[in-house]
């Protein structure tokens, strides 16, 4: 990559600032529905997982980039909050899968609608950072 320009640094600064603001906004939205930021991320990991049986504890830990024992505590708190349940895997009794409760489904739907709307609002700035102002080509 050739030398970076001032515009490159300015774009990165705008992106990092927007990312921090989005993260703060996201924490606030989770709190408004009675969840922590980490619980919101866990619910999203469960809802977005490709297997309809739900992710295993190991898979959820990988999504959240946390150690297994950290996920156990998070899952405990989410279960206590009534938004998550643990279910033994039918094929492998050693594995535990995570599923959303009805309350968890309601909260992740509500939060995801808000987040997708906010990301749509941020899209022009993100495109500018990645491709520059004149580049509207998909990547």
């Amino acid at each position: 990559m050739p030398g970076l320009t001032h515009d490159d640094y300015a774009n990165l600064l705008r992106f990092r600032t927007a990312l921090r603001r989005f993260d703060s906004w996201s924490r606030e939205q989770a709190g408004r529905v009675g969840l922590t930021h980490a619980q919101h991320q866990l619910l999203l990991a469960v809802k977005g997982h490709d297997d309809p049986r739900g992710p295993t504890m190991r898979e959820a830990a990988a999504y959240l980039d946390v150690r297994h024992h950290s996920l156990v505590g998070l899952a405990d708190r989410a279960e206590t909050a009534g938004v998550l349940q643990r279910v033994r895997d039918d094929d492998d009794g050693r594995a535990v899968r995570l599923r959303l409760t009805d309350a968890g489904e309601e909260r992740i739907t509500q939060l995801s609608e808000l987040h997708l709307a906010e990301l749509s609002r941020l899209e022009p700035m993100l495109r500018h950072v990645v491709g520059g102002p004149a580049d509207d080509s998909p990547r």
Side-chain angles (χ1 to χ4, degrees):
M1 174 176 207
L4 297 174
T5 67
H6 181 270
D7 285 346
D8 293 327
Y9 291 108
N11 285 338
L12 288 171
L13 174 60
R14 278 192 288 279
F15 171 72
R16 296 294 301 211
T17 301
L19 191 59
R20 282 190 300 277
R21 286 181 181 155
F22 178 80
D23 191 52
S24 293
W25 174 87
S26 178
R27 286 176 191 277
E28 184 179 313
Q29 299 311 307
R32 286 183 176 176
V33 298
L35 297 175
T36 67
H37 191 51
Q39 288 170 336
H40 172 215
Q41 291 177 40
L42 177 58
L43 296 187
L44 185 58
V46 173
K47 186 67 175 177
H49 186 66
D50 288 334
D51 189 328
R53 298 175 299 167
T56 63
M57 295 286 282
R58 177 177 292 182
E59 290 167 332
Y63 286 137
L64 275 62
D65 195 26
V66 298
R67 295 181 189 265
H68 183 270
H69 69 274
S70 297
L71 183 72
V72 170
L74 177 58
D76 287 345
R77 292 184 297 278
E79 239 179 341
T80 299
V83 295
L84 184 79
Q85 63 184 19
R86 293 182 181 136
V87 180
R88 286 265 171 221
D89 186 280
D90 292 335
D91 299 327
D92 181 355
R94 298 168 298 168
V96 174
R97 294 194 175 270
L98 301 174
R99 293 192 187 141
L100 300 180
T101 64
D102 289 343
E105 289 281 354
E106 288 173 19
R107 288 186 180 142
I108 196 59
T109 297
Q110 182 180 7
L111 287 169
S112 295
E113 288 171 352
L114 289 170
H115 280 71
L116 288 172
E118 183 67 7
L119 286 171
S120 291
R121 190 185 70 74
L122 294 172
E123 183 182 11
M125 186 275 304
L126 295 172
R127 284 188 182 278
H128 181 78
V129 169
V130 174
D135 185 358
D136 290 331
S137 63
R139 298 204 183 232

